[in-house]
Amino acid sequence: MTIPQQQPLSPIALSSFDLSPERGFLPAADPLESIPEEPILNQLGADLPKLLTARQFRTIIRDRNQVMGEVADEWGLDAYRCAMRTLSFVGHAYVWEDPDHPASHLPACLAIPWHRVSEQLGRPPVLSYASYALHNWRRLDPQKAIELGNIVLLQNFLGGLDEEWFVLVHVEIESEAGPALLGLVQAQNASQENKEEDVLEGLCSLATAQEAMRETLLRMPERCDPYVYYNRVRPYIHGWKNSPALPEGLVYEGVMAHAGRPQQFRGETGSQSSIVPALDAGLGVTHADDPLTQYLVEMRDYMPPRHRAFVTALEARLDEHRRPLLYGYVRDRQRKNPALWKAFCACVDLLAQFREVHIGYAERYIFRQHQSHASNPTAVGTGGTPFMQYLNKHLEETKCLVQD
């Protein structure tokens, strides 16, 4: 029996997945601030914090037959993203305006355009991380970097320092991930070409970027208080899958494809960021099957399609022994080139540190808080799944990759 030879892997290029070393998963152009020729929807987005504060948003929507015109095929990606951002915020505002009585039906004036725009973007009609963070910022000075102190949000629910800071910390981390992705791809491609020095250089670049990402994540408590986050920020980002407050899901009125049936979609969560899945895939970190692992695979449906394709491409890069390509390469050279193995271990350790900081925040900002509404549970994440036990398990699995 002849064993088929493994086909050589093609080099990975960030540009093939709409990524860049300067911005990572952030869009190539700064997000549009408003939708051209859609004054009603633009105004709803601008007024949203005031309308939510007054508990008048549902009343305003019920009095309208239309919030935007037809979704045009020629709009272009930036306009679709802008519309998705505003529709996602106002859609969630309608559902969660009253936390004790969430809406189980979304009026057609919101549901129909939201569904149409989501189809254009290849994501479900629900607030996801892409609309909450990746496409929700502007620079105060367009000539300066995408970093804290020079970025603000384009859309809020209630507004205020804590909500702004919570999201903007994620935006800066996404920007810092650009050089990390470049280093990871360099190490991947160089290992395929057996260029040890280039692998080492890529790993060192990855580690430097990971350190910057960790330091930014550590800044979260500076201006985002756990009590304020849990009670003022978190309630609006829940979805309607595994939701104790909306057990049947949400009916999108007027959406023919749903035929009047309630839909269940996960809420916005940092698990929909592609950074950690890409690092797991590129470094070869695997997780035994558990509810969180299954959930994280499901979260890819909420990522922009090109981002999820990038993660899939990294996972497919295996050596002749069916091991993750980069991991197998450095492992085989552990004794001959200890500097290579040391650099790889440093990257894995930094990924574990990032996970550890995140677990600490999950405990302080959610798990320890006092639950006052069924719609905002402390034991379940905004994506609708238990988290503490499995987050710790995934941390240990990361550490185990480089333990002898």
Side-chain angles (χ1 to χ4, degrees):
M1 178 179 174
T2 302
I3 299 175
Q5 294 294 313
Q6 184 182 27
Q7 294 297 317
L9 295 170
S10 301
I12 289 183
L14 292 179
S15 58
S16 299
F17 301 93
D18 299 329
L19 309 177
S20 74
E22 296 80 22
R23 296 186 174 217
F25 294 106
L26 294 176
D30 290 12
L32 285 182
E33 297 188 26
S34 60
I35 311 161
E37 300 180 5
E38 292 295 342
I40 297 176
L41 187 60
N42 291 336
Q43 194 63 49
L44 282 174
D47 291 343
L48 188 58
K50 304 299 184 185
L51 294 172
L52 278 176
T53 299
R55 290 279 179 93
Q56 292 297 308
F57 186 71
R58 285 184 191 168
T59 301
I60 293 291
I61 294 299
R62 289 185 186 124
D63 290 340
R64 293 192 176 277
N65 295 320
Q66 188 178 38
V67 300
M68 68 179 294
E70 287 295 319
V71 177
D73 291 337
E74 64 272 13
W75 269 12
L77 186 58
D78 292 337
Y80 290 134
R81 288 169 171 171
C82 181
M84 185 68 165
R85 179 184 67 233
T86 308
L87 286 165
S88 298
F89 271 80
V90 300
H92 276 245
Y94 188 92
V95 172
W96 299 115
E97 180 178 62
D98 183 347
D100 292 315
H101 301 94
S104 60
H105 288 65
L106 191 70
C109 65
L110 289 179
I112 292 173
W114 199 5
H115 174 74
R116 289 175 178 168
V117 172
S118 72
E119 284 189 312
Q120 294 287 346
L121 292 172
R123 294 189 273 123
V126 69
L127 177 65
S128 57
Y129 180 83
S131 294
Y132 194 56
L134 296 181
H135 309 144
N136 187 27
W137 53 273
R138 68 177 177 89
R139 287 184 283 181
L140 296 173
D141 185 343
Q143 304 305 315
K144 293 183 179 179
I146 304 169
E147 61 185 7
L148 294 169
N150 192 45
I151 48 176
V152 294
L153 295 186
L154 292 170
Q155 182 66 62
N156 300 84
F157 284 110
L158 293 177
L161 178 61
D162 301 84
E163 183 181 350
E164 284 267 330
W165 191 255
F166 174 73
V167 182
L168 293 176
V169 165
H170 288 81
V171 175
E172 177 167 296
I173 290 171
E174 293 288 343
S175 178
E176 291 166 337
L181 299 179
L182 180 65
L184 180 63
V185 165
Q186 177 181 334
Q188 283 275 338
N189 292 338
S191 63
Q192 174 67 21
E193 298 166 359
N194 193 23
K195 297 180 178 178
E196 293 187 13
E197 290 304 313
D198 289 348
V199 174
L200 180 60
E201 182 181 71
L203 289 171
C204 290
S205 297
L206 171 57
T208 299
Q210 286 180 278
E211 289 172 353
M213 291 158 54
R214 179 198 59 200
E215 292 307 303
T216 298
L217 184 60
L218 286 169
R219 296 187 64 186
M220 183 66 77
E222 285 183 22
R223 302 181 191 179
C224 183
D225 177 80
Y227 174 87
V228 176
Y229 166 77
Y230 177 77
N231 290 281
R232 304 290 184 186
V233 179
R234 189 174 188 253
Y236 298 102
I237 62 178
H238 287 280
W240 26 92
K241 181 172 184 178
N242 290 6
S243 168
L246 290 171
E248 300 300 319
L250 180 70
V251 174
Y252 291 72
E253 294 180 349
V255 176
M256 301 301 292
H258 296 166
R261 294 186 298 269
Q263 304 298 303
Q264 296 197 354
F265 298 121
R266 303 285 190 181
E268 190 283 328
T269 165
S271 299
Q272 294 163 359
S273 168
S274 303
I275 294 175
V276 171
L279 294 179
D280 273 352
L283 293 172
V285 177
T286 58
H287 301 289
D289 190 39
D290 61 44
L292 182 60
T293 303
Q294 298 167 16
Y295 164 78
L296 293 176
V297 172
E298 184 184 351
M299 286 301 94
R300 299 188 189 184
D301 295 337
Y302 298 78
M303 297 174 182
R306 300 303 297 154
H307 296 180
R308 79 178 77 120
F310 177 68
V311 176
T312 300
L314 287 173
E315 288 176 331
R317 297 179 71 79
L318 305 175
D319 65 14
E320 65 274 16
H321 304 295
R322 308 302 295 171
R323 299 175 302 178
L325 177 64
L326 180 58
Y327 168 77
Y329 185 84
V330 298
R331 187 86 190 191
D332 288 346
R333 289 155 181 78
Q334 184 175 0
R335 298 187 184 279
K336 185 184 79 169
N337 191 343
L340 202 61
W341 178 248
K342 182 179 179 181
F344 179 84
C345 291
C347 294
V348 174
D349 180 61
L350 284 163
L351 177 56
Q353 290 180 41
F354 194 87
R355 278 196 155 101
E356 203 157 19
V357 174
H358 174 253
I359 291 171
Y361 289 158
E363 184 173 10
R364 291 170 55 195
Y365 282 73
I366 303 171
F367 198 66
R368 292 184 191 173
Q369 297 300 311
H370 174 69
Q371 181 174 324
S372 55
H373 302 282
S375 59
N376 194 22
T378 57
V380 177
T382 50
T385 184
F387 55 90
M388 287 302 297
Q389 173 187 352
Y390 300 112
L391 288 176
N392 281 292
K393 173 176 170 291
H394 283 208
L395 171 61
E396 291 307 311
E397 288 169 337
T398 303
K399 294 178 179 179
C400 284
L401 180 67
V402 293
Q403 293 176 351
D404 292 319

